[in-house]
Amino acid sequence: MLRSSMAAVMRAIVVREFGGVKKMKVETDMPAPSVGDHEVLIKVHASGINPVDTYIREGMYASLPELPYVPGKDGAGVVEALGAKVTKFKLGDRVFCSINGRYGTLASLTSAPETRVFPLGENLSFEDGASIGIPYFTACRALILKAKAKKGERLLVHGASGGVGLAAVQMGRELGLHVVGTAGTDEGISLVKATGAHEVFNHRDPKSLKNLGAEKFDIILEMLANVNLDKDLTLMNPRGRTIVVGSRGPTQINPRNLMMSESSVTGVALGTSTEEEWAELAAHVVAGTESGWLKPPVHKVYSLEEASQAHHDIIHSKGAQGNLVVRVTE
Amino acid sequence: MLRSSMAAVMRAIVVREFGGVKKMKVETDMPAPSVGDHEVLIKVHASGINPVDTYIREGMYASLPELPYVPGKDGAGVVEALGAKVTKFKLGDRVFCSINGRYGTLASLTSAPETRVFPLGENLSFEDGASIGIPYFTACRALILKAKAKKGERLLVHGASGGVGLAAVQMGRELGLHVVGTAGTDEGISLVKATGAHEVFNHRDPKSLKNLGAEKFDIILEMLANVNLDKDLTLMNPRGRTIVVGSRGPTQINPRNLMMSESSVTGVALGTSTEEEWAELAAHVVAGTESGWLKPPVHKVYSLEEASQAHHDIIHSKGAQGNLVVRVTE
């Protein structure tokens, strides 16, 4: 184990008990994380906010960190210290990460296993880098590992204007799919179009929704299954695959709609990835940052003091429009 | 085309309009089917009854025959005539079949494509042979092609005392799975046990159902998704697969239960099999008749005049106990 050569304490958002956004407090004397042999200490410049961060903070998630903890899975910054056995990075490297555990990215320092740290090219800002992790890895896991997407297939991204949705639109285009998106606001629709979707429908407009069914889909990425799943089952081609990325409650479906088409509904959870799968996901995503098709759509940047507002906004804002990022270090 | 050398008319159940069981009438002057180059004319001794036969008769099915039609997909008998290009069979061969179309097996003669006709060993009766088709091919398609069952996995056959359920219990044992079944009556439970299930639970007894969840499953074959699917979602191991074989209405589920386990729900429909898949299914099933693990559980034999009663019983009898068969020719 190597202690950071830097500050023994750091500025961080600290949660001392699970609950609402008010449980997120800025503290300036949080002990910095230790760095294991295979870990990298990162000076965090930006932290990406994802819905799962709020489920964990509420204490409503399958796997919860020990308290107190620092929220934030995704982040970007500069390598500050290296564990003894780290080989892929050197001090000063620009990196992004996607991690678990007690010491998250809403802090001036975070430690991450080498396998969850990835190079960040000069073409991308730290805010961009903080927006890559969960959105792109989830889209990649859903489209490639779960749906096994093939060139020419028709993809519906049901809820395309949020982080995972926009990542899926970009990745779907890169994979050679015909990409159809939905959004609930004019701004969202414009953004999904600008991000590359061939067609965009308004999922709050019944007339628009009716047209959505004119041609069916091989793959549906479903961000809000409790609202849309029953309809998804009627929108699939034979052997179609609906991948559930998000759901916030029970819903009614007609299982018979799966039968004649032999279509399927499968859940996806990035956290269940094996080491081999992480390596495969990383290869796709890092290649995307290098070749340029991967362009994280940063919507709004908050200060560390506003992190709780970012947690509120990612769940409650009507119509997502891209990623929310907290600027941790100026 | 080769006309049968035999009777130009035959005794058959004829349906002249879709509807209830009373639409099934015995007629004695129905024209016998013609026999195409790649078809086999079978003198039918026994016809197997399956739930899908009743959906078709009601006119409530995706693919309906032209009227009038003769019901019955599964059957067994003796080869009576051969199309010019048939190579796999000779006159007098004992066979079973699983077919589609206007000229079903509830008739003294039926014609079937060579690829849907299979040899029936002397160790099996015509009633046995008539009980093989849909139940065993469906169980095989569900377990092998859809669930991709691997030795040592835990299988729940949710509704194990009907035709497909008992076939799945036998096939599950043959595949090296740990087989757990459910049934709704004491007779059903005894039969599922006798058929080879390692454990059997009463799905009408809340106490028994509670114990069912003590250890989870890799594969669930679900015969009545509208009743059981929500519970199935809580019974799956990581990457578990629920295969929907039957469903008779809408139901409420919690899609979130698919997410952390990355489990899935997939429909199965035998009728969507490609020619290559039919060949694979047939290889498994015919091998089972030869090696002896495949023993069709014939529950009750009806006369042709009682065929409408058999259609009634397969849907309405409380607690299935194996296959229902109509003896067509003595």
Side-chain angles (χ1 to χ4, degrees), chain B residues 136-137 139-141 143-144 155 166-177 179 281 284-285 293-294:
Chain B
Y136 285 88
F137 287 126
C140 188
R141 184 169 183 81
L143 286 175
I144 296 178
L155 165 67
L166 291 162
V169 169
Q170 289 178 6
M171 185 164 282
R173 288 301 308 263
E174 171 65 13
L175 291 171
L177 309 179
V179 179
L281 298 174
H284 281 286
V285 167
W293 64 258
L294 189 159

PDB file of all heavy atoms in Angstrom, chain B residues 136-137 139-141 143-144 155 166-177 179 281 284-285 293-294:
ATOM      1  N   TYR B 136     -42.764 -32.475 -27.035  1.00  0.00           N
ATOM      2  CA  TYR B 136     -41.319 -32.705 -26.965  1.00  0.00           C
ATOM      3  C   TYR B 136     -40.536 -31.724 -27.827  1.00  0.00           C
ATOM      4  O   TYR B 136     -39.460 -31.263 -27.432  1.00  0.00           O
ATOM      5  CB  TYR B 136     -40.988 -34.162 -27.335  1.00  0.00           C
ATOM      6  CG  TYR B 136     -41.343 -35.105 -26.213  1.00  0.00           C
ATOM      7  CD1 TYR B 136     -42.615 -35.659 -26.122  1.00  0.00           C
ATOM      8  CD2 TYR B 136     -40.421 -35.398 -25.211  1.00  0.00           C
ATOM      9  CE1 TYR B 136     -42.960 -36.502 -25.074  1.00  0.00           C
ATOM     10  CE2 TYR B 136     -40.754 -36.239 -24.159  1.00  0.00           C
ATOM     11  CZ  TYR B 136     -42.022 -36.787 -24.092  1.00  0.00           C
ATOM     12  OH  TYR B 136     -42.347 -37.607 -23.045  1.00  0.00           O
ATOM     13  N   PHE B 137     -41.052 -31.398 -29.013  1.00  0.00           N
ATOM     14  CA  PHE B 137     -40.332 -30.420 -29.840  1.00  0.00           C
ATOM     15  C   PHE B 137     -40.306 -29.055 -29.151  1.00  0.00           C
ATOM     16  O   PHE B 137     -39.314 -28.329 -29.212  1.00  0.00           O
ATOM     17  CB  PHE B 137     -40.972 -30.305 -31.230  1.00  0.00           C
ATOM     18  CG  PHE B 137     -40.707 -31.489 -32.121  1.00  0.00           C
ATOM     19  CD1 PHE B 137     -41.752 -32.177 -32.731  1.00  0.00           C
ATOM     20  CD2 PHE B 137     -39.410 -31.932 -32.355  1.00  0.00           C
ATOM     21  CE1 PHE B 137     -41.517 -33.272 -33.561  1.00  0.00           C
ATOM     22  CE2 PHE B 137     -39.154 -33.027 -33.182  1.00  0.00           C
ATOM     23  CZ  PHE B 137     -40.213 -33.699 -33.786  1.00  0.00           C
ATOM     24  N   ALA B 139     -40.503 -28.490 -25.812  1.00  0.00           N
ATOM     25  CA  ALA B 139     -39.579 -28.586 -24.668  1.00  0.00           C
ATOM     26  C   ALA B 139     -38.140 -28.510 -25.156  1.00  0.00           C
ATOM     27  O   ALA B 139     -37.288 -27.841 -24.556  1.00  0.00           O
ATOM     28  CB  ALA B 139     -39.827 -29.885 -23.904  1.00  0.00           C
ATOM     29  N   CYS B 140     -37.870 -29.172 -26.275  1.00  0.00           N
ATOM     30  CA  CYS B 140     -36.520 -29.207 -26.834  1.00  0.00           C
ATOM     31  C   CYS B 140     -36.115 -27.829 -27.344  1.00  0.00           C
ATOM     32  O   CYS B 140     -35.005 -27.348 -27.072  1.00  0.00           O
ATOM     33  CB  CYS B 140     -36.498 -30.231 -27.967  1.00  0.00           C
ATOM     34  SG  CYS B 140     -34.874 -30.577 -28.631  1.00  0.00           S
ATOM     35  N   ARG B 141     -37.026 -27.175 -28.075  1.00  0.00           N
ATOM     36  CA  ARG B 141     -36.730 -25.825 -28.573  1.00  0.00           C
ATOM     37  C   ARG B 141     -36.478 -24.869 -27.405  1.00  0.00           C
ATOM     38  O   ARG B 141     -35.557 -24.054 -27.437  1.00  0.00           O
ATOM     39  CB  ARG B 141     -37.893 -25.307 -29.427  1.00  0.00           C
ATOM     40  CG  ARG B 141     -37.608 -23.961 -30.063  1.00  0.00           C
ATOM     41  CD  ARG B 141     -38.632 -23.567 -31.128  1.00  0.00           C
ATOM     42  NE  ARG B 141     -38.224 -22.299 -31.720  1.00  0.00           N
ATOM     43  CZ  ARG B 141     -37.306 -22.178 -32.669  1.00  0.00           C
ATOM     44  NH1 ARG B 141     -36.746 -23.252 -33.182  1.00  0.00           N
ATOM     45  NH2 ARG B 141     -36.945 -20.993 -33.117  1.00  0.00           N
ATOM     46  N   LEU B 143     -35.582 -25.590 -24.159  1.00  0.00           N
ATOM     47  CA  LEU B 143     -34.422 -25.900 -23.306  1.00  0.00           C
ATOM     48  C   LEU B 143     -33.107 -25.782 -24.059  1.00  0.00           C
ATOM     49  O   LEU B 143     -32.123 -25.267 -23.524  1.00  0.00           O
ATOM     50  CB  LEU B 143     -34.545 -27.316 -22.737  1.00  0.00           C
ATOM     51  CG  LEU B 143     -35.578 -27.499 -21.630  1.00  0.00           C
ATOM     52  CD1 LEU B 143     -35.696 -28.972 -21.246  1.00  0.00           C
ATOM     53  CD2 LEU B 143     -35.184 -26.669 -20.406  1.00  0.00           C
ATOM     54  N   ILE B 144     -33.069 -26.277 -25.289  1.00  0.00           N
ATOM     55  CA  ILE B 144     -31.787 -26.351 -25.999  1.00  0.00           C
ATOM     56  C   ILE B 144     -31.551 -25.112 -26.856  1.00  0.00           C
ATOM     57  O   ILE B 144     -30.530 -24.441 -26.730  1.00  0.00           O
ATOM     58  CB  ILE B 144     -31.710 -27.642 -26.839  1.00  0.00           C
ATOM     59  CG1 ILE B 144     -31.748 -28.853 -25.892  1.00  0.00           C
ATOM     60  CG2 ILE B 144     -30.447 -27.658 -27.698  1.00  0.00           C
ATOM     61  CD1 ILE B 144     -31.725 -30.193 -26.572  1.00  0.00           C
ATOM     62  N   LEU B 155     -33.328 -26.208 -13.250  1.00  0.00           N
ATOM     63  CA  LEU B 155     -34.491 -25.941 -14.107  1.00  0.00           C
ATOM     64  C   LEU B 155     -35.767 -25.989 -13.283  1.00  0.00           C
ATOM     65  O   LEU B 155     -36.003 -26.956 -12.560  1.00  0.00           O
ATOM     66  CB  LEU B 155     -34.571 -27.009 -15.212  1.00  0.00           C
ATOM     67  CG  LEU B 155     -35.898 -27.103 -15.991  1.00  0.00           C
ATOM     68  CD1 LEU B 155     -36.133 -25.853 -16.843  1.00  0.00           C
ATOM     69  CD2 LEU B 155     -35.924 -28.356 -16.871  1.00  0.00           C
ATOM     70  N   LEU B 166     -44.289 -32.250 -18.787  1.00  0.00           N
ATOM     71  CA  LEU B 166     -43.732 -33.582 -18.543  1.00  0.00           C
ATOM     72  C   LEU B 166     -42.601 -33.885 -19.526  1.00  0.00           C
ATOM     73  O   LEU B 166     -41.592 -34.492 -19.162  1.00  0.00           O
ATOM     74  CB  LEU B 166     -44.845 -34.630 -18.641  1.00  0.00           C
ATOM     75  CG  LEU B 166     -45.874 -34.537 -17.494  1.00  0.00           C
ATOM     76  CD1 LEU B 166     -47.161 -35.279 -17.859  1.00  0.00           C
ATOM     77  CD2 LEU B 166     -45.298 -35.075 -16.189  1.00  0.00           C
ATOM     78  N   ALA B 167     -42.767 -33.449 -20.771  1.00  0.00           N
ATOM     79  CA  ALA B 167     -41.686 -33.622 -21.752  1.00  0.00           C
ATOM     80  C   ALA B 167     -40.432 -32.892 -21.280  1.00  0.00           C
ATOM     81  O   ALA B 167     -39.312 -33.404 -21.385  1.00  0.00           O
ATOM     82  CB  ALA B 167     -42.128 -33.093 -23.117  1.00  0.00           C
ATOM     83  N   ALA B 168     -40.618 -31.688 -20.712  1.00  0.00           N
ATOM     84  CA  ALA B 168     -39.476 -30.894 -20.242  1.00  0.00           C
ATOM     85  C   ALA B 168     -38.800 -31.556 -19.046  1.00  0.00           C
ATOM     86  O   ALA B 168     -37.580 -31.477 -18.892  1.00  0.00           O
ATOM     87  CB  ALA B 168     -39.925 -29.480 -19.889  1.00  0.00           C
ATOM     88  N   VAL B 169     -39.590 -32.197 -18.182  1.00  0.00           N
ATOM     89  CA  VAL B 169     -39.004 -32.905 -17.039  1.00  0.00           C
ATOM     90  C   VAL B 169     -38.106 -34.044 -17.547  1.00  0.00           C
ATOM     91  O   VAL B 169     -36.952 -34.184 -17.125  1.00  0.00           O
ATOM     92  CB  VAL B 169     -40.108 -33.448 -16.105  1.00  0.00           C
ATOM     93  CG1 VAL B 169     -39.518 -34.419 -15.074  1.00  0.00           C
ATOM     94  CG2 VAL B 169     -40.822 -32.292 -15.400  1.00  0.00           C
ATOM     95  N   GLN B 170     -38.629 -34.840 -18.484  1.00  0.00           N
ATOM     96  CA  GLN B 170     -37.826 -35.951 -19.021  1.00  0.00           C
ATOM     97  C   GLN B 170     -36.576 -35.434 -19.727  1.00  0.00           C
ATOM     98  O   GLN B 170     -35.466 -35.939 -19.525  1.00  0.00           O
ATOM     99  CB  GLN B 170     -38.663 -36.780 -20.008  1.00  0.00           C
ATOM    100  CG  GLN B 170     -39.755 -37.608 -19.336  1.00  0.00           C
ATOM    101  CD  GLN B 170     -40.613 -38.380 -20.340  1.00  0.00           C
ATOM    102  OE1 GLN B 170     -40.344 -38.396 -21.537  1.00  0.00           O
ATOM    103  NE2 GLN B 170     -41.665 -39.015 -19.833  1.00  0.00           N
ATOM    104  N   MET B 171     -36.758 -34.399 -20.559  1.00  0.00           N
ATOM    105  CA  MET B 171     -35.625 -33.878 -21.315  1.00  0.00           C
ATOM    106  C   MET B 171     -34.620 -33.194 -20.399  1.00  0.00           C
ATOM    107  O   MET B 171     -33.406 -33.296 -20.599  1.00  0.00           O
ATOM    108  CB  MET B 171     -36.127 -32.918 -22.390  1.00  0.00           C
ATOM    109  CG  MET B 171     -35.032 -32.419 -23.301  1.00  0.00           C
ATOM    110  SD  MET B 171     -35.688 -31.668 -24.811  1.00  0.00           S
ATOM    111  CE  MET B 171     -36.113 -33.120 -25.755  1.00  0.00           C
ATOM    112  N   GLY B 172     -35.121 -32.487 -19.375  1.00  0.00           N
ATOM    113  CA  GLY B 172     -34.237 -31.837 -18.413  1.00  0.00           C
ATOM    114  C   GLY B 172     -33.341 -32.853 -17.713  1.00  0.00           C
ATOM    115  O   GLY B 172     -32.134 -32.633 -17.551  1.00  0.00           O
ATOM    116  N   ARG B 173     -33.930 -33.982 -17.301  1.00  0.00           N
ATOM    117  CA  ARG B 173     -33.120 -35.041 -16.675  1.00  0.00           C
ATOM    118  C   ARG B 173     -32.073 -35.553 -17.659  1.00  0.00           C
ATOM    119  O   ARG B 173     -30.909 -35.735 -17.306  1.00  0.00           O
ATOM    120  CB  ARG B 173     -34.018 -36.193 -16.194  1.00  0.00           C
ATOM    121  CG  ARG B 173     -34.878 -35.884 -14.978  1.00  0.00           C
ATOM    122  CD  ARG B 173     -34.035 -35.489 -13.770  1.00  0.00           C
ATOM    123  NE  ARG B 173     -32.980 -36.439 -13.475  1.00  0.00           N
ATOM    124  CZ  ARG B 173     -33.062 -37.415 -12.568  1.00  0.00           C
ATOM    125  NH1 ARG B 173     -34.156 -37.548 -11.851  1.00  0.00           N
ATOM    126  NH2 ARG B 173     -32.047 -38.228 -12.363  1.00  0.00           N
ATOM    127  N   GLU B 174     -32.497 -35.792 -18.908  1.00  0.00           N
ATOM    128  CA  GLU B 174     -31.579 -36.307 -19.921  1.00  0.00           C
ATOM    129  C   GLU B 174     -30.423 -35.337 -20.163  1.00  0.00           C
ATOM    130  O   GLU B 174     -29.291 -35.743 -20.435  1.00  0.00           O
ATOM    131  CB  GLU B 174     -32.358 -36.556 -21.225  1.00  0.00           C
ATOM    132  CG  GLU B 174     -31.515 -36.892 -22.431  1.00  0.00           C
ATOM    133  CD  GLU B 174     -30.761 -38.214 -22.304  1.00  0.00           C
ATOM    134  OE1 GLU B 174     -31.081 -39.000 -21.389  1.00  0.00           O
ATOM    135  OE2 GLU B 174     -29.845 -38.449 -23.119  1.00  0.00           O
ATOM    136  N   LEU B 175     -30.698 -34.018 -20.039  1.00  0.00           N
ATOM    137  CA  LEU B 175     -29.666 -32.998 -20.274  1.00  0.00           C
ATOM    138  C   LEU B 175     -28.772 -32.789 -19.055  1.00  0.00           C
ATOM    139  O   LEU B 175     -27.861 -31.966 -19.082  1.00  0.00           O
ATOM    140  CB  LEU B 175     -30.320 -31.661 -20.654  1.00  0.00           C
ATOM    141  CG  LEU B 175     -31.020 -31.606 -22.014  1.00  0.00           C
ATOM    142  CD1 LEU B 175     -31.802 -30.298 -22.155  1.00  0.00           C
ATOM    143  CD2 LEU B 175     -30.008 -31.744 -23.156  1.00  0.00           C
ATOM    144  N   GLY B 176     -29.053 -33.501 -17.961  1.00  0.00           N
ATOM    145  CA  GLY B 176     -28.210 -33.370 -16.776  1.00  0.00           C
ATOM    146  C   GLY B 176     -28.544 -32.163 -15.922  1.00  0.00           C
ATOM    147  O   GLY B 176     -27.691 -31.654 -15.189  1.00  0.00           O
ATOM    148  N   LEU B 177     -29.790 -31.687 -15.997  1.00  0.00           N
ATOM    149  CA  LEU B 177     -30.210 -30.549 -15.173  1.00  0.00           C
ATOM    150  C   LEU B 177     -30.777 -31.040 -13.843  1.00  0.00           C
ATOM    151  O   LEU B 177     -31.212 -32.185 -13.727  1.00  0.00           O
ATOM    152  CB  LEU B 177     -31.287 -29.742 -15.912  1.00  0.00           C
ATOM    153  CG  LEU B 177     -30.952 -29.324 -17.347  1.00  0.00           C
ATOM    154  CD1 LEU B 177     -32.118 -28.560 -17.957  1.00  0.00           C
ATOM    155  CD2 LEU B 177     -29.690 -28.483 -17.393  1.00  0.00           C
ATOM    156  N   VAL B 179     -33.905 -30.848 -11.889  1.00  0.00           N
ATOM    157  CA  VAL B 179     -35.249 -30.526 -12.369  1.00  0.00           C
ATOM    158  C   VAL B 179     -36.232 -30.389 -11.209  1.00  0.00           C
ATOM    159  O   VAL B 179     -36.435 -31.328 -10.440  1.00  0.00           O
ATOM    160  CB  VAL B 179     -35.752 -31.609 -13.345  1.00  0.00           C
ATOM    161  CG1 VAL B 179     -37.167 -31.267 -13.813  1.00  0.00           C
ATOM    162  CG2 VAL B 179     -34.808 -31.734 -14.532  1.00  0.00           C
ATOM    163  N   LEU B 281     -33.990 -30.332 -33.796  1.00  0.00           N
ATOM    164  CA  LEU B 281     -34.986 -30.776 -32.817  1.00  0.00           C
ATOM    165  C   LEU B 281     -35.314 -32.253 -33.030  1.00  0.00           C
ATOM    166  O   LEU B 281     -35.392 -33.045 -32.082  1.00  0.00           O
ATOM    167  CB  LEU B 281     -36.272 -29.944 -32.949  1.00  0.00           C
ATOM    168  CG  LEU B 281     -36.155 -28.439 -32.677  1.00  0.00           C
ATOM    169  CD1 LEU B 281     -37.475 -27.735 -32.988  1.00  0.00           C
ATOM    170  CD2 LEU B 281     -35.746 -28.187 -31.234  1.00  0.00           C
ATOM    171  N   HIS B 284     -32.699 -34.696 -31.687  1.00  0.00           N
ATOM    172  CA  HIS B 284     -32.790 -34.893 -30.237  1.00  0.00           C
ATOM    173  C   HIS B 284     -33.960 -35.804 -29.874  1.00  0.00           C
ATOM    174  O   HIS B 284     -33.832 -36.727 -29.073  1.00  0.00           O
ATOM    175  CB  HIS B 284     -32.994 -33.546 -29.526  1.00  0.00           C
ATOM    176  CG  HIS B 284     -31.745 -32.752 -29.373  1.00  0.00           C
ATOM    177  ND1 HIS B 284     -30.758 -33.076 -28.467  1.00  0.00           N
ATOM    178  CD2 HIS B 284     -31.321 -31.629 -30.002  1.00  0.00           C
ATOM    179  CE1 HIS B 284     -29.781 -32.191 -28.554  1.00  0.00           C
ATOM    180  NE2 HIS B 284     -30.090 -31.309 -29.473  1.00  0.00           N
ATOM    181  N   VAL B 285     -35.122 -35.511 -30.456  1.00  0.00           N
ATOM    182  CA  VAL B 285     -36.349 -36.182 -30.025  1.00  0.00           C
ATOM    183  C   VAL B 285     -36.357 -37.642 -30.490  1.00  0.00           C
ATOM    184  O   VAL B 285     -36.689 -38.550 -29.720  1.00  0.00           O
ATOM    185  CB  VAL B 285     -37.581 -35.403 -30.538  1.00  0.00           C
ATOM    186  CG1 VAL B 285     -38.850 -36.225 -30.380  1.00  0.00           C
ATOM    187  CG2 VAL B 285     -37.691 -34.073 -29.787  1.00  0.00           C
ATOM    188  N   TRP B 293     -35.324 -42.638 -22.996  1.00  0.00           N
ATOM    189  CA  TRP B 293     -35.681 -41.663 -21.951  1.00  0.00           C
ATOM    190  C   TRP B 293     -36.985 -40.952 -22.285  1.00  0.00           C
ATOM    191  O   TRP B 293     -37.656 -40.437 -21.401  1.00  0.00           O
ATOM    192  CB  TRP B 293     -34.551 -40.663 -21.694  1.00  0.00           C
ATOM    193  CG  TRP B 293     -34.174 -39.755 -22.848  1.00  0.00           C
ATOM    194  CD1 TRP B 293     -33.098 -39.886 -23.664  1.00  0.00           C
ATOM    195  CD2 TRP B 293     -34.874 -38.581 -23.294  1.00  0.00           C
ATOM    196  NE1 TRP B 293     -33.080 -38.885 -24.604  1.00  0.00           N
ATOM    197  CE2 TRP B 293     -34.160 -38.063 -24.399  1.00  0.00           C
ATOM    198  CE3 TRP B 293     -36.029 -37.915 -22.879  1.00  0.00           C
ATOM    199  CZ2 TRP B 293     -34.554 -36.919 -25.092  1.00  0.00           C
ATOM    200  CZ3 TRP B 293     -36.431 -36.769 -23.571  1.00  0.00           C
ATOM    201  CH2 TRP B 293     -35.697 -36.284 -24.660  1.00  0.00           C
ATOM    202  N   LEU B 294     -37.334 -40.920 -23.572  1.00  0.00           N
ATOM    203  CA  LEU B 294     -38.558 -40.242 -23.992  1.00  0.00           C
ATOM    204  C   LEU B 294     -39.733 -41.207 -23.916  1.00  0.00           C
ATOM    205  O   LEU B 294     -39.832 -42.140 -24.720  1.00  0.00           O
ATOM    206  CB  LEU B 294     -38.369 -39.708 -25.419  1.00  0.00           C
ATOM    207  CG  LEU B 294     -39.447 -38.783 -25.985  1.00  0.00           C
ATOM    208  CD1 LEU B 294     -38.885 -37.954 -27.132  1.00  0.00           C
ATOM    209  CD2 LEU B 294     -40.685 -39.526 -26.432  1.00  0.00           C
TER     210      LEU B 294
END
